[in-house]
Amino acid sequence: MKKYSFGFLIVGLLVLLGCQRDDLCPGSTNTTPLLIIRFYDFEAPDEPTPPQNLSIAEIPETETDSLSWATYVDDEGNTVTLRRRSQDSIAIPLRTDQNLTRFYFILDTEIDENGFVTSGNADTLTFSYDLQEEYLNRACSFQRKFINLKVNRTAEEDGQNWIREINIEENNVEDENQAHVSIYF
């Protein structure tokens, strides 16, 4: 029995000593940034203005895919769903497996008890970009940056787009320090 205990002790020490400092990715490490969008009233563009009951959903690539609400994890580790929000700025994730992401931005969203949108004014925005990868270290792997950001708003047939103007403030999404896009409504 002593022989086995000694063996487990040796194996345990080797495992503990085998871990290096770079095996853990510190929480303070900048990883792939979110796209920061600020909203402004078109008639009073100097002060940020929250759109009421804004929901954002990523548009599925195929008809068999389901609509998914845009989500992200905040600084406290909570998952935030961008559904019926009223705030003057938001952070949304862009896809890292392709060079574009399409979203519905739905103003004045009404949602039924099953979580389905029953009404609202939806505008379609397509964000296109080039992906740039930067190797951080073994624990954190790669950071992806979005370079040459462009945005296209699809015009609605009935002319009822609630988004009146879009300005790109930062062409490269490398951090989350300031707004990358301004939307005027």
Side-chain angles (χ1 to χ4, degrees):
M1 185 68 178
K2 285 184 181 183
K3 188 177 189 181
Y4 291 118
S5 298
F6 182 70
F8 284 125
L9 179 65
I10 294 296
V11 169
L13 284 174
L14 288 174
V15 168
L16 288 175
L17 294 176
C19 290
Q20 297 179 13
R21 206 176 111 227
D22 66 347
D23 286 341
L24 301 173
C25 185
S28 61
T29 302
N30 289 333
T31 55
T32 301
L34 298 171
L35 178 70
I36 308 297
I37 300 174
R38 283 213 93 159
F39 295 95
Y40 297 90
D41 185 332
F42 187 78
E43 304 298 328
D46 294 333
E47 287 294 317
T49 306
Q52 295 303 304
N53 296 323
L54 176 68
S55 297
I56 301 172
E58 184 177 354
I59 299 173
E61 289 185 49
T62 66
E63 290 182 20
T64 58
D65 293 340
S66 62
L67 187 74
S68 61
W69 297 108
T71 61
Y72 68 94
V73 178
D74 67 11
D75 293 337
E76 286 80 41
N78 301 312
T79 300
V80 177
T81 302
L82 297 173
R83 187 167 63 191
R84 291 185 50 91
R85 310 288 288 194
S86 295
Q87 55 197 63
D88 65 16
S89 64
I90 58 167
I92 59 173
L94 296 174
R95 293 184 65 118
T96 58
D97 61 341
Q98 57 188 26
N99 289 358
L100 65 87
T101 309
R102 295 176 9 167
F103 290 102
Y104 290 124
F105 279 64
I106 309 167
L107 185 67
D108 297 325
T109 309
E110 294 294 328
I111 299 175
D112 68 14
E113 63 276 354
N114 297 318
F116 294 106
V117 174
T118 58
S119 67
N121 186 349
D123 282 3
T124 303
L125 299 184
T126 302
F127 296 93
S128 59
Y129 42 83
D130 296 321
L131 284 168
Q132 183 180 68
E133 288 187 345
E134 176 184 341
Y135 181 75
L136 298 176
N137 57 43
R138 187 169 69 185
C140 299
S141 187
F142 288 91
Q143 175 189 39
R144 289 173 180 84
K145 297 178 181 179
F146 308 97
I147 309 300
N148 301 320
L149 179 70
K150 295 176 183 70
V151 61
N152 180 45
R153 181 191 66 195
T154 303
E156 291 187 24
E157 291 177 15
D158 62 2
Q160 295 298 314
N161 288 94
W162 67 271
I163 296 174
R164 296 174 68 180
E165 185 177 321
I166 303 170
N167 291 337
I168 295 180
E169 306 298 337
E170 287 290 325
N171 289 330
N172 299 331
V173 181
E174 299 176 344
D175 56 40
E176 298 174 7
N177 295 335
Q178 72 273 345
H180 305 106
V181 175
S182 295
I183 293 179
Y184 298 85
F185 64 99

